[in-house]
């Protein structure tokens, strides 16, 4: 059993930054790849960023490349999504997810993850 709790969302203006956190009870934390997804109103959930179990590999969706950075802190069992230069099209509910894997470099980019958080709202005004 694992639990993920996101935080850090909010309302910001275009061009601002936010850092989302994902506190994980999945143990050990290093057994899990972590992904961030988002879902905007009326749209399907989409992959945003992912990181492999030992942080040796990352993957980003094209719209966020160069603006978002995913990371993991193994001491606090927390994953982060640093979001810079936010735009109105980034407005969505953001979810973190954890996938247990034996692969050291695999970053799952589909939504077949084992555990999901409840989501945190990010709203970017123009």
């Amino acid at each position: 059993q694992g639990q993920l709790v996101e935080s850090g969302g909010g309302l910001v203006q275009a061009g601002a930054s936010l850092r989302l956190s994902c506190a994980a009870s999945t143990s050990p934390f290093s057994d899990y790849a972590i992904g961030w997804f988002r879902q905007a109103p009326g749209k399907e959930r989409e992959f945003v960023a992912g990181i492999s179990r030992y942080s040796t590999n990352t993957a980003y969706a094209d719209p966020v490349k160069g603006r978002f950075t995913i990371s993991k802190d193994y001491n606090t069992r927390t994953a982060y999504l640093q979001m810079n230069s936010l735009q109105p099209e980034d407005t969505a509910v953001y979810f973190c997810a954890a996938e247990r894997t034996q692969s050291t470099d695999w970053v799952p980019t589909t939504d077949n993850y084992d555990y999901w958080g409840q989501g945190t709202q990010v709203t970017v005004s123009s």
Side-chain angles (χ1 to χ4, degrees):
Q1 293 282 335
Q3 183 178 11
L4 304 173
V5 179
E6 302 97 333
S7 61
L11 171 63
V12 297
Q13 290 188 331
S17 297
L18 280 175
R19 188 177 75 161
L20 304 184
S21 299
C22 172
S25 66
T26 53
S27 183
F29 191 51
S30 59
D31 277 4
Y32 292 82
I34 300 293
W36 284 96
F37 291 75
R38 67 186 181 187
Q39 187 167 21
K43 294 187 177 181
E44 293 187 353
R45 186 166 59 190
E46 63 177 1
F47 172 79
V48 175
I51 189 166
S52 59
R53 59 182 293 194
Y54 295 131
S55 302
T56 54
N57 194 20
T58 58
Y60 296 93
D62 286 343
V64 308
K65 282 181 180 177
R67 299 189 298 125
F68 291 12
T69 303
I70 189 171
S71 61
K72 294 174 74 177
D73 184 330
Y74 296 87
N75 291 326
T76 62
R77 290 193 297 185
T78 302
Y80 298 98
L81 185 68
Q82 177 67 42
M83 306 186 297
N84 298 329
S85 302
L86 283 163
Q87 299 301 315
E89 51 266 34
D90 295 317
T91 295
V93 178
Y94 283 72
F95 301 88
C96 69
E99 171 77 11
R100 190 163 195 166
T101 177
Q102 295 184 342
S103 171
T104 57
D105 293 325
W106 181 51
V107 179
T109 59
T110 64
D111 60 0
N112 293 325
Y113 277 71
D114 294 328
Y115 304 106
W116 290 84
Q118 83 289 349
T120 185
Q121 177 71 46
V122 172
T123 303
V124 185
S125 64
S126 59

